[in-house]
Amino acid sequence: MSLQEARSHIAAARAITILTGAGISADSGVPTFRGTEGLWRNYRAEDLATPEAFARDPRLVWEWYSWRRELIATKQPNPAHLALAELERRRPETFWLITQNVDGLHRAAGSQCLSEIHGNIWKMRCTGCGLVSDNREVPLPILPTCLQCGGLLRPHIVWFGESLLEEDLRRCDEALRSCDLLLVIGTSGMVYPAAGFASVAKEGGALVIEINLESTQQSNLVDLSLQGRAKDLVPLLL
Ligand code: BV8
Ligand code: ZN
């Protein structure tokens, strides 16, 4: 019943916004943040993905990101990423995809109407002159420096305690308030401001559908929960 229901909501929707988290990339082999396999040695993302950690030990933080880049470099978009890129192609004017993931797999799948609100692991920003550059080198020379000014580069990623880009926040707000359907896929709904996006959409009168392996902090808020793997369920929604 609920899958059929979800399919008809998608078909009938005037404007669709999607919010994805680490769960959509789990099926591509990218570890989630709060999954059992953890993320790296015995560190937690909250310990390393902060400006303080980088100021204290840039080498350790770069070691972690370089390890994640090497892991992600061998991963491909899965049927869930591809299905969302197809959905965008069918309705480019009334579709927006917001992802919390920094792995770049939505872009690799062909998504273009996309906000990568936590940044992208393949981009770097100079702590000296602010230049943002694309860098696909794996493995990385630990402590990469800026070609323009020699300054220390950092991942162009939003760390805990750092604000999201104004432009991204504005675009997300528009996509959340103007849609009549929000699809939340593979996120535990624990990290703000993304964790508040479902209520923004609901305030705007949207119907909210959640796809996850289990119930989450948002489940009490959503209109319909589909339990299962994103790679299996998302393609069935088209
Ligand atoms: C901000 C980049 C304003 C890093 C990430 C104290 C001081 C300062 C701020 C705070 C504070 N306390 C709280 C905050 C706010 C903080 C926050 O929310 N903290 C949390 C921990 C409580 N937020 C921030 O700091 C944000 N900025 O608030 O700015 C500000 C500024 C200054 C001072 C105050 C406020 C910035 C947040 C961005 C952090 N950066 N990523 C990197 O990746 O290296 S967040 C990082 O974790 C990921 O990007 C991702 O967003 C998040 C993980 O969440 P999920 O994607 O949901 O992944 P998770 O593993 O949790 O869940 C996976 C889900 O998938 C599960 O539900 C699972 O069941 C499901 N699943 C698994 N497999 C599948 C599946 N589902 C379907 N199919 C499958 N196969
Ligand atoms: Zn520089």
Side-chain angles (χ1 to χ4, degrees):
M1 188 275 278
S2 53
L3 183 65
Q4 193 43 48
E5 221 181 319
R7 282 168 56 87
S8 47
H9 285 308
I10 297 247
R14 175 186 43 75
I16 298 178
T17 295
I18 314 273
L19 171 64
T20 64
I24 198 169
S25 293
D27 289 327
S28 294
V30 180
T32 63
F33 282 80
R34 289 166 190 84
T36 44
E37 73 281 0
L39 249 176
W40 184 53
R41 297 193 195 147
N42 51 3
Y43 288 98
R44 291 176 337 114
E46 282 77 10
D47 304 335
L48 290 175
T50 70
E52 294 77 21
F54 188 72
R56 190 174 51 247
D57 190 344
R59 200 173 297 277
L60 175 69
V61 174
W62 265 123
E63 228 184 284
W64 180 48
Y65 277 98
S66 187
W67 173 80
R68 286 172 68 194
R69 285 161 56 106
E70 283 187 56
L71 181 132
I72 291 168
T74 60
K75 305 296 182 264
Q76 299 299 326
N78 65 58
H81 295 107
L82 297 169
L84 294 180
E86 171 55 28
L87 186 55
E88 172 187 321
R89 271 191 291 277
R90 294 183 186 176
R91 45 180 318 145
E93 303 307 312
T94 57
F95 179 94
W96 197 259
L97 170 55
I98 302 167
T99 189
Q100 302 173 81
N101 302 337
V102 300
D103 56 35
L105 290 179
H106 282 300
R107 233 177 251 295
S111 290
Q112 295 179 0
C113 300
L114 170 66
S115 295
E116 292 175 309
I117 57 170
H118 293 159
N120 185 305
I121 203 162
W122 301 114
K123 287 193 177 148
M124 301 192 167
R125 185 168 78 239
C126 177
T127 57
C129 67
L131 178 76
V132 175
S133 54
D134 210 75
N135 175 308
R136 300 264 160 170
E137 255 179 294
V138 283
L140 266 178
I142 291 294
L143 293 189
T145 50
C146 176
L147 296 178
Q148 188 165 274
C149 77
L152 176 61
L153 297 180
R154 60 162 279 177
H156 187 49
I157 277 182
V158 181
W159 282 331
F160 290 98
E162 292 186 324
S163 304
L164 279 61
L165 295 180
E166 267 314 302
E167 167 55 20
D168 283 339
L169 286 171
R170 194 196 55 70
R171 189 66 192 84
C172 289
D173 203 55
E174 186 190 323
L176 292 163
R177 291 187 188 287
S178 64
C179 72
D180 54 343
L181 178 62
L182 171 69
L183 191 52
V184 182
I185 307 171
T187 180
S188 60
M190 290 166 67
V191 175
Y192 289 86
F197 284 3
S199 18
V200 174
K202 275 210 85 64
E203 274 160 36
L207 188 101
V208 181
I209 298 177
E210 178 182 52
I211 291 183
N212 201 302
L213 290 182
E214 59 198 13
S215 62
T216 69
Q217 314 236 3
Q218 321 271 314
S219 296
N220 56 334
L221 198 77
V222 307
D223 299 284
L224 185 59
S225 265
L226 302 178
Q227 294 223 339
R229 302 197 77 83
K231 74 170 171 59
D232 300 328
L233 291 179
V234 178
L236 298 180
L237 294 178
L238 298 196

